Amino acid sequence: MKKPNIAVIYFPGNNCEEESLRAVLASGMDGKIVRWNQRNGIESFDGFVIPGGWAYEDRIRAGVIAAKDPVFKTIKKEAENGKPVLGICNGAQALVECGMIPGLKNKVEMALAPNQNPFINGYYCTWVFVKSEQEKNRCAFTKFTEKDDVIPIPIAHGEGRFTTKDKELINKLIKNKQVIFRYSTKDGKIEESFPTNPNGAIYNIAAICSKQGNVMAMMPHPERASFIRQLPDIVDLKNQFVGDVVAMADPAPARNLFYSMKKYVEEELH
Amino acid sequence: MPKTIEMVVGLKVPDNTAITALQTLQKIGFAKIKNVKREDYYKFEIEGDEKQFKDKICKIDAIVNANKHAYAFSVMKDNTTKILVKSTKIEDFRDTKNPKDFLVNINDDGSGLVSVLKNRLGFKNIKKAEKAILWSLSIEADAKEARKIAEKAARELLVNEHYQEFEIV
């Protein structure tokens, strides 16, 4: 069977494209870093990763200029055809600013607003835990993630607070099962307070998928938690393999998002 | 009796954000917008000597960097259509393990700005401070149409109304 071929879309100012591509390749897919202004051939890819960084220097606000880029017209169209689109951090911000997430009304329905953090001003990076809210297979990225699975994963952002002025929206997202990951303790307990919720996100939301399930905006960085060696020492899984160079290259739990993307393409699109 | 002092601070070097805003607005269909200027807008409520406050505030590097900023204590009256953008008040921040004042975010809604100015920089006479972004759009249209264009530009690019609010001033 042909391997899924994923485009990692690189905007000027992104800095996570290489690592995102590495995670794509490590999960058995083919992939390529594709510049934002490539005119032709975008639609030939089987899926898309919009990586993290500071596209267009976050001018005006994070993700908004990238969201207006012509390449997003193509990505939207391909997403409507069922192709998976994973927006990570700055990529998540762009997906929210172009309305693809949550994608209920074809307009901007949410914001990824500046962090509300009682101790750290602005940009904040740390390791957190996210808990899976939905049953396996709810979206293209959770075919190997059971409900209540807890994944260690890093965040690194200044504008990661999911929020909305539409008071009914969160209820709709819960009803539609679009809230995929929430910030939790390492035991899976949802605590709204800092540091469990690192940025004040409403309902502790860390990742939201589209209603169809093939598009996901995720603030934490799964590409930075795809190998055991990337995990910090506070994670028990890492400690089991300390000193074992071979095991350090093994997949970490966040790799499952990319394995799932592969399975989704193979089962749904090929 | 508290006095209200406005202050606008803008770049005297090229403003890449304003340039990008203009180019993006034109690319998404706002052909009548010919120029965009962006300034930080502050509104202070103080007690005491206004002149003394103004003399001191313009020397605070966090607000005015003399190498790159120009400032004024009023909003310039010109032919541009001005949009003032503020962050909306956060309604529900979670309890913290150690309740304390919000750490300052000088780029947020200004609620931390008072704390910085008062507690760290010695402005004991400040009662209130607000910070916003002031966009000035040069629009090739009469005043009524320019206002409509500015509102549309705000909603389509300059503002995310899920955490910001704006008014045409």
Side-chain angles (χ1 to χ4, degrees), chain A residues 29-45:
Chain A
M29 296 187 279
D30 282 336
K32 191 180 172 199
I33 292 170
V34 174
R35 289 166 61 97
W36 78 101
N37 56 357
Q38 178 171 312
R39 291 278 176 261
N40 302 309
I42 305 278
E43 51 288 321
S44 69
F45 289 92

Side-chain angles (χ1 to χ4, degrees), chain A residues 16-233:
Chain A
C16 301
E17 69 281 4
E18 293 283 352
E19 226 168 351
S20 299
L21 178 63
R22 195 171 301 131
V24 163
L25 298 176
S27 61
M29 296 187 279
D30 282 336
K32 191 180 172 199
I33 292 170
V34 174
R35 289 166 61 97
W36 78 101
N37 56 357
Q38 178 171 312
R39 291 278 176 261
N40 302 309
I42 305 278
E43 51 288 321
S44 69
F45 289 92
D46 298 313
F48 305 92
V49 173
I50 321 290
W54 284 268
Y56 297 103
E57 284 187 352
D58 286 357
R59 289 175 188 176
I60 304 181
R61 61 186 178 277
V64 70
I65 302 294
K68 305 297 179 196
D69 214 273
V71 74
F72 262 99
K73 285 198 180 111
T74 309
I75 292 171
K76 260 191 199 178
K77 184 164 142 284
E78 296 305 309
E80 281 160 15
N81 292 336
K83 289 184 183 173
V85 180
L86 175 62
I88 301 170
C89 198
N90 196 211
Q93 290 157 341
L95 288 177
V96 167
E97 286 287 350
C98 74
M100 284 177 73
I101 287 292
L104 296 176
K105 287 184 183 172
N106 197 28
K107 65 173 191 174
V108 177
E109 298 173 78
M110 298 192 85
L112 277 160
N115 294 349
Q116 275 298 107
N117 182 322
F119 300 107
I120 309 289
N121 178 25
Y123 181 81
Y124 178 51
C125 55
T126 190
W127 279 83
V128 296
F129 295 92
V130 294
K131 186 172 91 154
S132 171
E133 273 293 281
Q134 308 302 338
E135 302 292 340
K136 209 162 70 161
N137 287 315
R138 167 57 184 101
C139 77
F141 307 98
T142 54
K143 288 186 172 289
F144 298 103
T145 309
E146 303 279 353
K147 189 175 188 310
D148 298 333
D149 274 356
V150 177
I151 299 174
I153 196 163
I155 59 157
H157 55 248
E159 296 168 52
R161 175 169 56 95
F162 275 107
T163 188
T164 178
K165 70 175 183 182
D166 179 351
K167 294 193 189 325
E168 281 309 308
L169 179 65
I170 302 304
N171 291 335
K172 281 182 205 161
L173 295 180
I174 294 167
K175 190 170 160 223
N176 292 345
K177 299 184 194 308
Q178 287 181 249
V179 178
I180 299 300
F181 290 109
R182 297 172 74 192
Y183 297 110
S184 75
T185 63
K186 70 174 187 174
D187 303 313
K189 193 171 161 216
I190 304 292
E191 287 176 355
E192 290 186 338
S193 58
F194 181 86
T196 303
N197 182 335
N199 55 31
I202 194 166
Y203 197 58
N204 277 42
I205 294 172
I208 295 176
C209 77
S210 60
K211 201 169 175 192
Q212 195 182 345
N214 61 316
V215 181
M216 187 164 83
M218 180 168 197
M219 281 314 297
H221 285 262
E223 81 285 8
R224 295 183 186 178
S226 280
F227 297 86
I228 297 284
R229 64 169 177 260
Q230 292 176 300
L231 300 179
D233 294 346

